[in-house]
Amino acid sequence: PQNSNRLATQLATQHHAGTMAEFALDPEQAKTFESLKEKLLQSESGLRLGKLQQDALQTEMRKLATTVRALEELPEDVRLFNACGRMFILESKDDIITDMTKQAASCKKDVGELKEKEKYLVKSRDESERGLRELFARK
């Protein structure tokens, strides 16, 4: 995705190569430009944040899966310590695996929600870019 400031500059130079007087926007167009630019910035910021959150959740899911595989190799009667704040609780292997499986399912659900939000933000960003292009095409 293009940086929104760079996009606005590119659009201005593509459609208005010339003097600054040619580039001057009337107050209504300036207001529209600012709102579209703000919407574009918010969409891009949301997309970056969502991508970071998805990456973190994917990493967490991989760690959980690796830990579960390692725990499954242990004997059935083994008891393990599970971290809880600043203390450790003695639990059965099955309880820990169940908890980790639930955490992984929660992470997967969160990733799905973030992907849906990403679709909305991409659509919003594209609409803003299209609006900026139309604004400068009219000028």
Side-chain angles (χ1 to χ4, degrees), residues 65-90:
T66 302
T67 304
V68 166
R69 278 195 304 274
L71 290 175
E72 287 173 342
E73 294 175 4
L74 297 174
E76 286 300 318
D77 60 342
V78 71
R79 298 195 35 96
L80 305 166
F81 288 97
N82 191 12
C84 181
R86 292 196 293 175
M87 65 180 182
F88 294 90
I89 300 173
L90 189 62

Side-chain angles (χ1 to χ4, degrees), residues 1 10-11 29 33-34 36 40 59 62 73 77 85-86 101 105 114 123 125 127 131-133:
Q10 285 176 348
L11 289 171
Q29 288 176 326
F33 173 77
E34 287 301 320
L36 287 171
L40 185 64
T59 300
R62 282 193 300 275
E73 294 175 4
D77 60 342
R86 292 196 293 175
T101 305
L114 286 170
K123 189 184 290 186
R125 182 195 64 202
E127 287 174 9
L132 284 168
R133 284 188 184 95

Side-chain angles (χ1 to χ4, degrees), residues 108-120:
K108 187 174 184 177
K109 179 180 152 251
D110 292 345
V111 167
E113 290 172 359
L114 286 170
K115 286 185 179 184
E116 286 299 315
K117 186 177 179 183
E118 180 182 22
K119 288 178 187 177
Y120 166 77

Side-chain angles (χ1 to χ4, degrees), residues 7 11 15-16 25 29 32-33 36 126-139:
L7 174 65
L11 289 171
H15 296 289
H16 298 288
L25 298 173
Q29 288 176 326
T32 303
F33 173 77
L36 287 171
D126 292 346
E127 287 174 9
S128 298
E129 287 177 351
R130 190 172 27 262
L132 284 168
R133 284 188 184 95
E134 289 173 3
L135 179 68
F136 285 109
R138 282 186 277 164
K139 186 71 178 156

Side-chain angles (χ1 to χ4, degrees), residues 4-5 32-42 132:
S4 60
N5 288 331
T32 303
F33 173 77
E34 287 301 320
S35 68
L36 287 171
K37 183 178 167 186
E38 181 66 28
K39 186 177 176 185
L40 185 64
L41 287 170
Q42 288 176 348
L132 284 168

Side-chain angles (χ1 to χ4, degrees), residues 40-55:
L40 185 64
L41 287 170
Q42 288 176 348
S43 297
E44 287 181 344
S45 176
L47 284 168
R48 281 191 300 274
L49 180 61
K51 180 65 175 155
L52 290 173
Q53 290 173 334
Q54 284 183 35
D55 291 346

